[in-house]
Amino acid sequence: MKTSENWQINVKKKIAAGVSIASNLTLIALKIAAGIISGSISIISEALHSLVDLAASFIAFFSVMKSSKPADDDHPFGHGKYEDLAGFVEAILIILTALYILYIAIEKLIRTGGAHHFETTLGIAIMLVSTIVNLCVSAYLFYVAKKTDSIALQTDAEHLRMDVYSSFAILLGLVAVKYTGLYILDPIFAIIVAAIILRTGLSLTKQASNNLLDGTLPDCEKDIIKNILESFKNRGLMGVKSVKASKSGSKRVIQLVIFLPCKMTLKDTHTLCDEIENSIAAKFQYASVIIHAEPNCISGDKKQCALCNEIIKNGLPLNLAP
């Protein structure tokens, strides 16, 4: 990836993270005020959720700043893991928030039996604003996360998307309370919100930990690499011994061991490997490709090795032209 393109991507990440922080600060202030004034447990639980969203936004902003730094002596493969670590921490925060909301909602349900009267009009207005704002900001973050392949921004966007669902659920609950007088719906909707948040947290934890532990790429991305290698079989590639691929932040680290004709010149080997690397890099925004070439004769495929020798013996050059 060119330096200018990398700089533009980092700027987009930082702007998106900044927008997330600003929106969360505003909504937190509104929700806390509405929760205290109304006394609604569901609004208070939503304010707690937004506090975690704010912490997640700061973590995302920090990780984007750190991951954008170039490789150095201490981090020869770059700083991409900062984003994976941030995504994991954010996911844990989501889970802890969900568990705490469950606790206070169930405790309120047991202690009051749901007979806790509160003012609903203010809460309805705040939840409506929160739903609209988070819908717009999360859509923007998802767009930037997809363009920049940022796990930290994706996790932050997931936070806000859960805020959309939870705010809307609480909005419906408050409307139901207002027109039915069933105040027991307030803690019940808080429990529903906590369940939604918990499910998201568990899913994001799995994704972030997979990257931290150098888990393999998704099958769809491995298929892309496989298809690229297949396209080089008429260019001199005689087999693939192994493909190892993992992800660090937005960068994919791909290591290939391939079989080439045992009498292929070093120059032709270098040219072919460069073309394979460029083809793979063109399919991914940011990829580090390392290729180890081995002579085909050590693969044990005597038929292919004999064919290679026959081609070279008869003076027929291997097809290395684009």
Side-chain angles (χ1 to χ4, degrees), residues 211-223:
N211 290 351
L212 278 173
L213 298 174
D214 290 325
T216 188
L217 298 180
D219 288 339
C220 59
E221 295 189 3
K222 289 191 289 186
D223 287 340

Side-chain angles (χ1 to χ4, degrees), residues 17-141:
V19 169
S20 179
I21 290 173
S23 67
N24 276 319
L25 278 171
T26 304
L27 291 177
I28 286 170
L30 291 174
K31 289 176 184 177
I32 290 176
I36 292 174
I37 294 171
S38 69
S40 169
I41 187 64
S42 59
I43 296 178
I44 293 173
S45 69
E46 181 61 14
L48 290 173
H49 183 200
S50 293
L51 277 171
V52 173
D53 284 343
L54 178 62
S57 296
F58 275 113
I59 292 171
F61 186 77
F62 169 78
S63 69
V64 165
M65 294 288 287
K66 295 292 288 186
S67 66
S68 63
K69 291 183 177 181
D72 52 35
D73 292 340
D74 293 329
H75 303 85
F77 293 101
H79 298 77
K81 288 294 183 184
Y82 274 105
E83 287 201 41
D84 298 319
L85 180 60
F88 183 78
V89 172
E90 289 178 47
I92 294 298
L93 286 176
I94 292 177
I95 293 173
L96 292 176
T97 304
L99 293 176
Y100 184 69
I101 293 173
L102 277 173
Y103 167 75
I104 59 175
I106 293 173
E107 189 270 340
K108 177 72 74 174
L109 197 60
I110 294 173
R111 183 163 56 86
T112 67
H116 174 64
H117 295 262
F118 57 89
E119 198 279 326
T120 58
T121 304
L122 177 61
I124 290 173
I126 296 301
M127 288 301 103
L128 180 60
V129 171
S130 176
T131 300
I132 295 172
V133 171
N134 281 326
L135 183 64
C136 296
V137 176
S138 64
Y140 170 63
L141 287 182

Side-chain angles (χ1 to χ4, degrees), residues 109-251:
L109 197 60
I110 294 173
R111 183 163 56 86
T112 67
H116 174 64
H117 295 262
F118 57 89
E119 198 279 326
T120 58
T121 304
L122 177 61
I124 290 173
I126 296 301
M127 288 301 103
L128 180 60
V129 171
S130 176
T131 300
I132 295 172
V133 171
N134 281 326
L135 183 64
C136 296
V137 176
S138 64
Y140 170 63
L141 287 182
F142 272 119
Y143 171 78
V144 177
K146 184 177 180 180
K147 286 291 184 182
T148 61
D149 200 17
S150 170
I151 181 64
L153 288 182
Q154 181 188 342
T155 307
D156 200 15
E158 290 285 1
H159 271 274
L160 293 181
R161 184 165 68 177
M162 288 304 100
D163 243 359
V164 172
Y165 297 152
S166 59
S167 295
F168 187 67
I170 291 172
L171 173 63
L172 293 179
L174 292 174
V175 171
V177 169
K178 183 178 179 67
Y179 291 101
T180 66
L182 297 174
Y183 288 89
I184 194 174
L185 292 175
D186 186 46
I188 289 176
F189 271 88
I191 291 173
I192 293 173
V193 168
I196 295 172
I197 297 170
L198 183 61
R199 182 176 180 274
T200 302
L202 293 173
S203 175
L204 290 173
T205 301
K206 181 179 178 182
Q207 181 180 352
S209 60
N210 181 70
N211 290 351
L212 278 173
L213 298 174
D214 290 325
T216 188
L217 298 180
D219 288 339
C220 59
E221 295 189 3
K222 289 191 289 186
D223 287 340
I224 291 174
I225 298 172
K226 179 181 178 182
N227 291 336
I228 290 174
L229 293 175
E230 285 289 330
S231 69
F232 278 89
K233 286 197 171 177
N234 66 341
R235 306 276 304 283
L237 180 63
M238 305 189 78
V240 179
K241 185 176 182 179
S242 68
V243 177
K244 295 180 181 179
S246 62
K247 197 175 180 186
S248 175
S250 58
K251 181 175 74 173

